[in-house]
Each structure stands twice: as structure tokens, then as C-alpha cells.
Amino acid sequence: MALLLSLAAPISPSFAAQTRVIDVPRGTVGEVAFALGRQAGINIAIPDATLLGRPAPAVRGKLSDEAAVGQLARAAGLKVRVVGSKSFILTRAPHPAAAVSIAAAPSYDLPSPEPEEIVVTASKRDTTSPRFAGQWTKIDGDDLKGWGIVGSEAIEARSVGFSSTHLGSGRNKLFIRGIADSSFSGPTQSPVGQYMGDMRMGYSGPDPDVRLIDIESVEVLEGPQGTLYGSGSLGGIVQVTPVKPVLGMTAGRASVGISLTTHGDPGFDGSGMFNMPLWEGAAFRAVGYHSAEGGYVDNLATGKSDINRLSVDGGRAMMSADIIPGWSIDVSGLAQRIRGEDSQYADREGHGLSRYSMVPQPFVSRFEMGGVAIRKDGGSLRFRSTTGFTRQRVTENFDASTGDTARQLGQDSRGWSVSNETRVWRPMAQGYSWVAGFSSIVHRYAVARDIREGEHQVDLAGVENRVRESTAYGEIGLRIADGLEASAGARYTISSLSGNGSHLNPLLAASRYGEADREERQFLPSFSLLARPVDKLTLYGRFQQGFRPGGLSIEADFVRTYHNDKLATAELGFRYGISQRHPIDIQGSLTLSKWSDIQADFIDAGGLPSTDNIGDGRVWTLTLNGGAQVSRTLRVEAGVAWNDGKITRPSEAFKLMAAEAEGAMRIPNIARLAARAAIDWSHELGGGHSLTASSYLRYIGRSRLGVGPRLGDAQGDYLDSGISVRLGDDRRAISFTATNLADQLGNRFAFGAPFTSGRDQITPLRPRTFRLGIDAAF
């Protein structure tokens, strides 16, 4: 009995030759055929179950149904039989190397496939890459195999425009394209939006650093992206797309690895994935992982070595089911815990991998999320409604000792949110495309602090921010003429803000947050013009805005009110070729951003981070990235980013605080210069086995820790590097990786604990680390 991988509502034969955008990642024949059937709304049957596990490449492009199935069959060495206008059967070809044969009526002969085009999923209207006006990076999930249990740092290693602070996993702040406000995560909304599929992963607070296991891709859109993503997308957005459950298939994969760190302890990691059918039209997929990273920093005060050991435990699950033909529902959940036994910073003096701390500084980051998505992926009109819940808690301890008195500062940050986004869109056809939607979010974020000295504890000022946002947005794309397109969009947001403080100075509290309960309204327009004068070349210009609402922040023993900030960006850019599809691909852009009422963190009089509006600024950014397919088996890449951000019109309060401190008006944390080079190589060994290798080298230039004189310390100016080698096939492989090949010390972040000057602190790179891993599918 034939195995039917995909079911769809019958469609008239007159539409059989119609083309649509297809974007199916590589996998097994079973996985690719199922995903293709779901996207195109066609039936694909495979009578021989032994073919399901055969490797299959991606199927991408603007294709007819016949061309899409033909592309899969040609690459996998299969024969196609057409049994109806929307029904196909795949069988084993007489000879694997033979061209695809077609057993069907002449009217159904398959045409040659059209050139592949990559779909920018995060564009929200299935825009193909030649039609996307903006800088965009896509990392295939397969590129992360063999590197272990990786998180946001793996994205940073593959980009020159994406960066992060390095306080510690689960405590960092992300930046894109030179848009950085401060070194610390607190009640202010992040300048980078993070999404798991269409579900928002956070609002305020640090990057949860969800591990990138069993994912299809990571997309990075440089910002601002205010029209489509609203508040919190000043720098851009990061969208992680997990692999969805595969219908009609029971399969799994497991991976284990051991690591050795120079000057430190060994580590271990393991992960597993399991996919199973539930009933006809429904399937379940689960992922679990654990990693333990060896410490490498010594504490001279206690005599303990390798104190900063880190462990990560997490899991993710999703159930997908067809509701009616063409409509599906996904129910998903995720939980992760990161536990650091101590912080990873060191003293600037000494050999660079030690410090003197009188108290331990452990931290724990917990993150949970769950959601439901209802979607219609095929047809001329598409629909998606996603409702999600997130909860994050970060518990931190810092050394606050003075002289011979041991003291510990405790900080407990808690956030939760409930959000929904519902949208309808039409991909580009007959000269136009559009998207229209609405979203809402309810978010709370609270920070509590205390000082402990022996058995004695004193509660410090704390704050809670509450935000309710309601938004309507839309965007339309028009083909003005051959090779000339334009888009226009707008977003209107109403934000209701409220908050309160705890453990405040009663004489000051009443006068300082009287404006906590208020309403803010924002209208964000966007425009773009795109031209394709010659084959493979795209030129574009765009204008877009982004914003973040205001809130309350702790300052000493009272709270302060800060207001919303806004970013407006004009960009000129180009793109030539498509990565891994053309011999040469290159893209670049020049942007100028005007930033008003910048929300930034600084060190207050009590030595703790606080937030305020510090004035207006501007940021120039120039980026250039490209690659060349030197041969069928060898690809080289290179990229460079230059950033120049300044506070051009400081507020009176900030002007007094900064005085004439050198560099105090620089936008913090973003290196003026960053560069990256990479090489990817592969060699087929026969029998489905291959040997692949990839390596990278990154230079991160100098940057400033934060705004104001007390955060003026230099950081950066280091080289990072890595190499990965993998031997095997799609089902079994052994891998070897090495990072920080030159065993560089570096200084990724000139901060570790408050109350002391950053001149005394550095955050070194993890010393040279080797990992040996094995993965297998079943």
C-alpha cells in the first residue's frame, strides 16, 4: 500500500502549471516530499518505504507543482508518475544516475525546474531574496551540525553585523547593525527582537540563549523592522525556525560529544530528537539536550580553580495536525535552564584567567515558552495566527565586597508575557503582494535587589514595569515595471505603561514616578524602492522606523521615569547573486540612523546600573559581505562592517555626568570595525559518505563598555577562530571541532561585577577548546 505523505484539497487542472514560491529545506526524501506536499497543496505517494530515508536536497524557487516534484526526483534519483492534476507517485529509478523518467500522459510531462530562489520567511509575505529590500542573513540548520549544543554565539560567529555582550550565557544583550544602548539587561526593551517561528521569545530582559538544536534555519533581518515587528526591533530581528513534525514517519537522531579546554576542565554534551506519527494527519516531534562546559577561570581569594563551569538543560516539543485540507495547527512548548557556578570575568592584571573574589557569584537563567499556531501555508491567500506565553527568570549574584568585608549583591529579574499575532498575506503574483495583521502583548518585568553580609540582608530598591501593546500593521509590494518594484507600509501602536517600585526612599518616591501610568502612541511608516537592472543584481533604497516604549528604572533607593525612544533609518544597498547558488555573491549597504531620546544604562551614584534618556544620536554603518564558489567543493566567504555611533545632542543631565570624559559620547559595545572570513569544503567519498570541513576567522575591533565616564573602559580588539570537520553520511557521522585556535586571551566584555571599575575587569575568550562528537539517526 502506497505511503501518502501529503493530502490537499482537490484543485482544478487549469491551475496545474501555476507557479508558487517553494522553500523546503534539505532532509530525507520522506521529509522533503511531505514538506513539499504541504506547501504546494499536492499529493505525493511513495510506495517503497525504503526510499524515505534517502538523502534529498532543498527544493526552493518559484516553481510549478510538476517542476518542484521533478526537482526532488532528479536530485534523489527517482522516477515520477503523474496520476492526476495534483497527485504524483515517486518510485525507484532503474539506475541511480539516470535522468528522471515520467510514466504519465504526454500532457503532464515535467518541465525543467526554474532557477531556485530563497524565500525570506521573516518578510511575512514570503518575499523571495531578489525582491527583498534590506540586509538579510540566513544560516541553515545543517551548518550548525557537529558544533555541539550551540546558542546565540554560533550566530555571532557567522556574522559581522550581529554582536553580543558577554556577561554570561542567558544574561547577555544582543545587538545588530551598530544599534546598541547599553551593557546591561534590565527593564528597558531589547533593541533586537527574538522569535521562535512566529512566536515572540521576549520583550525586556536578556537573551535567553535558547540552544539551536534540530532547527531548519536562523534568519537575521537588519533593522529597524518597526513596520512588521513593532517595538523592540530597532537593530533588527532574529527568527529561529524549528523543524516541524513529519507526518507518517517514525525517526530519531542522537548526538554525544566530549570537549577539552586548554587551561580548564573537560566538558560533555548530548542531545536527542524523536519524531512519531500520532494519527493520520498528525505527528509529534521532541528534542532534549544537556551540556556541561568546563570552567577555566581561577579564584585567587579562595584557591579554587576553573570556577566558572556552566551547565545547560533543555527541551522542546511540537505537535502538528491537519485540521481540514490546507489548514494546520501547531502546539509547542520549550523549557531551558542555564546554571553557572560562577561568573566568567577575570582581573585585568595577572595572567588573564584569574581574579580575586571574596564571594562566589553563581547565576541561573530559566526560560519557558508555549504556544499555539493556526496556519494556512498554501494557496494565493495565506493565514497565520500565533498565540504564545513566555516566562523568564534570571537570578544573579555579584561580589560587592569592600576592603576585608565580604558582601554579595543579589539580583532577581523576572519577566512574563502573553502575545498574539494574526496576519493574512498574499505572496507576489500578478504584480503585487501584501500583508495585513494585528498583534497584542501583555508584558511584566520586575527587578529586585539585595545586599547580603554574612547572615544580614538589606533589600534595595526594586521596580516592576507593565506594558500592554495593541498594534495594526500592513505592507504592500508593487511591481511598477519589469525589474522595478516598490513597497510601502505602516504600523500604528498604542502602548499602555504602568509600574511601581519597592523598598524606596519615602521622601523621594512620590515625586519621581508620578508619570508611571501613561499611554504612548506611535505611527511608523516605511518605504522602499528596488531595481533589478541586470540578471542577479538587486539595488534598493529604503526608509524605516522603530521605537521602544518608556518605563521605570531603579536609581539608588528610588525609581526614575524614562520615556520612549525612536530610530529612523535610511539605507542604500545592493545584492548580487545568491549564496551557494551562483559562482559569486556579494551584498552591501550604507545606512544612516537618527536616534532620538536614546534609552541607555549607566552606573548611578550607588555603583549600580540605572536607565535614563540621555539625548539624541546618529549611527553610520557600512557593511560588505560576499562569497565565491571556487569549485564544486570549495567556497570562500568574507565580510566587513564599519560602525560610527555618537551621541550628538546629550541631555543636560547626561552632559553634566559625562563632563569632558574622553569618548563619553560614543555609542557603546559596538566595535568600530569587525571583519570575518570563512572557508567551506566538501569531498564525496562514495556510498553516500562525504568529508566536510568549515572554518572561520573573526576580528572584533575596539569598543567602549558603556556611556558616561564610569563605563568608558576599552574592550574588544581580538581574533576569534574555529574549525569543524565532519565525516559520514546523512545517518551517521563523526565530527571534530576546535575553537579559539590561537588560544587568544582577548577581552569580550569589560565588566563582571558592579561597584568596581571596569578598568579592573575583562571577560576573556574561552581558551582553545577541542570537541569530538558522534551523531546517528535511526
Side-chain angles (χ1 to χ4, degrees):
M1 180 178 179
L3 173 62
L4 195 62
L5 287 171
S6 177
L7 295 174
I11 299 179
S12 169
S14 64
F15 290 91
Q18 217 175 45
T19 61
R20 59 172 56 83
V21 174
I22 299 295
D23 184 21
V24 176
R26 61 185 173 181
T28 64
V29 166
E31 292 170 338
V32 173
F34 165 72
L36 174 59
R38 171 173 281 185
Q39 283 193 19
I42 59 180
N43 302 323
I44 303 176
I46 304 179
D48 186 352
T50 63
L51 300 176
L52 298 176
R54 181 178 290 188
V59 178
R60 294 187 173 103
K62 189 176 181 183
L63 305 168
S64 66
D65 299 339
E66 294 90 341
V69 177
Q71 190 179 113
L72 168 61
R74 286 180 177 87
L78 302 177
K79 180 174 68 176
V80 182
R81 180 184 176 193
V82 183
V83 293
S85 62
K86 305 292 286 184
S87 299
F88 306 85
I89 296 177
L90 296 179
T91 58
R92 189 184 302 272
H95 302 287
V100 178
S101 61
I102 304 164
S107 59
Y108 288 112
D109 284 355
L110 299 185
S112 298
E114 299 179 23
E116 296 182 30
E117 294 180 353
I118 300 176
V119 175
V120 184
T121 306
S123 68
K124 293 194 176 181
R125 49 187 174 97
D126 292 344
T127 306
T128 56
S129 57
R131 288 191 159 103
F132 181 71
Q135 291 293 298
W136 165 76
T137 302
K138 185 172 186 176
I139 302 170
D140 195 291
D142 286 345
D143 294 340
L144 302 175
K145 287 182 178 178
W147 290 92
I149 311 296
V150 296
S152 298
E153 202 159 338
I155 306 174
E156 190 176 7
R158 286 158 178 79
S159 170
V160 294
F162 180 95
S163 60
S164 169
T165 60
H166 289 278
L167 183 60
S169 179
R171 303 195 289 168
N172 296 322
K173 199 166 192 175
L174 304 181
F175 310 115
I176 299 175
R177 181 182 270 169
I179 305 301
D181 55 352
S182 63
S183 305
F184 317 106
S185 296
T188 55
Q189 191 177 7
S190 170
V192 173
Q194 294 178 262
Y195 293 80
M196 178 68 71
D198 282 292
M199 196 182 312
R200 194 167 192 161
M201 281 201 285
Y203 192 91
S204 299
D207 166 29
D209 204 7
V210 171
R211 294 316 197 234
L212 305 175
I213 306 299
D214 194 43
I215 62 163
E216 281 191 14
S217 63
V218 178
E219 292 185 35
V220 179
L221 260 62
E222 297 189 1
Q225 293 292 333
T227 297
L228 296 179
Y229 289 92
S231 62
S233 60
L234 297 184
I237 68 106
V238 177
Q239 184 178 60
V240 177
T241 302
V243 178
K244 290 185 173 62
V246 180
L247 298 183
M249 179 180 293
T250 299
R253 180 175 291 275
S255 173
V256 295
I258 56 173
S259 59
L260 297 175
T261 298
T262 309
H263 320 297
D265 284 342
F268 166 83
D269 64 80
S271 65
M273 178 279 294
F274 182 68
N275 187 101
M276 63 176 291
L278 297 178
W279 60 83
E280 186 176 356
F284 173 81
R285 193 178 188 98
V287 178
Y289 51 87
H290 166 79
S291 70
E293 300 177 8
Y296 50 87
V297 174
D298 300 336
N299 189 345
L300 303 180
T302 62
K304 294 182 178 180
S305 301
D306 306 327
I307 58 175
N308 60 316
R309 188 175 179 83
L310 184 81
S311 64
V312 182
D313 297 278
R316 190 179 74 242
M318 178 184 290
M319 186 274 287
S320 293
D322 294 336
I323 308 172
I324 56 175
W327 290 77
S328 303
I329 184 172
D330 302 323
V331 180
S332 61
L334 180 154
Q336 179 177 278
R337 187 193 74 161
I338 301 171
R339 183 178 183 274
E341 294 183 5
D342 214 313
S343 193
Q344 62 188 31
Y345 75 95
D347 291 338
R348 193 178 293 267
E349 301 297 329
H351 65 76
L353 293 176
S354 65
R355 70 167 185 266
Y356 192 94
S357 297
M358 296 182 67
V359 297
Q361 301 174 69
F363 64 90
V364 178
S365 171
R366 297 180 178 88
F367 181 74
E368 297 96 29
M369 68 182 298
V372 177
I374 298 173
R375 53 189 171 85
K376 177 181 180 293
D377 294 332
S380 58
L381 284 183
R382 303 179 185 181
F383 173 89
R384 188 159 300 178
S385 180
T386 304
T387 302
F389 167 80
T390 66
R391 183 172 60 188
Q392 183 178 28
R393 182 177 183 183
V394 181
T395 305
E396 303 169 274
N397 294 276
F398 298 97
D399 189 354
S401 302
T402 55
D404 295 330
T405 304
R407 298 193 308 165
Q408 190 175 57
L409 169 69
Q411 179 167 288
D412 187 13
S413 306
R414 306 187 188 202
W416 66 264
S417 62
V418 178
S419 62
N420 170 269
E421 186 199 56
T422 300
R423 72 180 191 273
V424 181
W425 74 99
R426 180 187 191 272
M428 177 64 76
Q430 299 173 328
Y432 72 97
S433 65
W434 56 264
V435 59
F438 66 85
S439 66
S440 62
I441 186 168
V442 178
H443 174 76
R444 287 189 177 189
Y445 195 82
V447 179
R449 292 170 176 164
D450 62 65
I451 286 284
R452 296 184 293 275
E453 183 179 329
E455 299 297 323
H456 185 60
Q457 176 176 319
V458 176
D459 292 322
L460 303 179
V463 69
E464 179 180 82
N465 279 280
R466 298 181 290 273
V467 180
R468 290 178 178 268
E469 279 188 11
S470 299
T471 294
Y473 68 91
E475 187 176 66
I476 186 169
L478 296 172
R479 187 175 62 207
I480 301 172
D482 288 342
L484 184 63
E485 298 179 12
S487 72
R491 189 180 191 100
Y492 185 71
T493 299
I494 301 174
S495 302
S496 299
L497 312 173
S498 61
N500 61 271
S502 58
H503 307 292
L504 306 179
N505 185 325
L507 299 177
L508 299 173
S511 63
R512 294 307 297 268
Y513 67 71
E515 302 176 28
D517 297 339
R518 61 193 189 279
E519 186 175 273
E520 297 177 352
R521 297 171 183 262
Q522 291 288 340
F523 176 74
L524 304 176
S526 64
F527 312 95
S528 73
L529 185 65
L530 179 146
R532 289 178 286 168
V534 296
D535 184 38
K536 302 178 186 177
L537 176 63
T538 297
L539 305 173
Y540 69 87
R542 75 172 185 124
F543 171 81
Q544 189 149 175
Q545 295 180 318
F547 85 102
R548 294 181 298 176
L552 296 178
S553 173
I554 306 169
E555 182 183 3
D557 56 354
F558 59 93
V559 298
R560 70 162 70 240
T561 301
Y562 60 90
H563 301 283
N564 63 298
D565 60 353
K566 195 170 186 177
L567 187 80
T569 296
E571 176 180 1
L572 294 174
F574 76 95
R575 189 163 47 249
Y576 178 82
I578 299 176
S579 172
Q580 300 180 3
R581 283 160 176 74
H582 297 134
I584 295 177
D585 60 274
I586 186 169
Q587 60 177 334
S589 71
L590 174 66
T591 65
L592 172 61
S593 299
K594 296 291 188 179
W595 199 349
S596 58
D597 293 324
I598 300 172
Q599 297 175 10
D601 292 336
F602 54 89
I603 297 296
D604 64 20
L608 293 170
S610 185
T611 305
D612 200 3
N613 301 96
I614 62 170
D616 302 336
R618 63 105 180 108
V619 181
W620 282 99
T621 301
L622 177 66
T623 60
L624 189 65
N625 292 279
Q629 197 70 38
V630 179
S631 67
R632 188 179 63 85
T633 61
L634 179 64
R635 172 177 170 79
V636 296
E637 296 178 347
V640 63
W642 173 81
N643 302 284
D644 181 38
K646 291 183 179 179
I647 302 164
T648 56
R649 192 176 172 185
S651 65
E652 291 301 319
F654 180 69
K655 192 184 300 183
L656 290 173
M657 182 185 70
E660 298 180 1
E662 182 180 355
M665 299 302 168
R666 287 274 307 276
I667 298 293
N669 277 299
I670 300 299
R672 184 176 288 263
L673 180 67
R676 177 183 182 270
I679 299 175
D680 294 316
W681 174 83
S682 64
H683 178 66
E684 297 297 328
L685 300 175
H689 293 80
S690 63
L691 177 65
T692 62
S694 62
S695 61
Y696 68 87
L697 178 67
R698 297 171 63 239
Y699 169 71
I700 306 301
R702 290 185 180 274
S703 63
R704 181 185 171 91
L705 173 61
V707 299
R710 299 189 64 182
L711 294 176
D713 309 292
Q715 56 188 23
D717 191 24
Y718 63 86
L719 282 171
D720 187 17
S721 55
I723 186 169
S724 173
V725 180
R726 190 172 188 268
L727 172 65
D729 56 21
D730 188 61
R731 302 190 63 80
R732 295 176 184 84
I734 183 170
S735 59
F736 171 79
T737 63
T739 55
N740 193 5
L741 301 177
D743 202 23
Q744 286 256 309
L745 178 64
N747 179 15
R748 296 188 292 176
F749 194 46
F751 180 84
F755 301 113
T756 58
S757 168
R759 293 181 178 86
D760 302 326
Q761 302 171 351
I762 66 169
T763 299
L765 280 75
R766 171 174 284 275
R768 184 189 297 117
T769 299
F770 304 99
R771 178 186 181 273
L772 181 66
I774 300 174
D775 61 88
F778 55 88

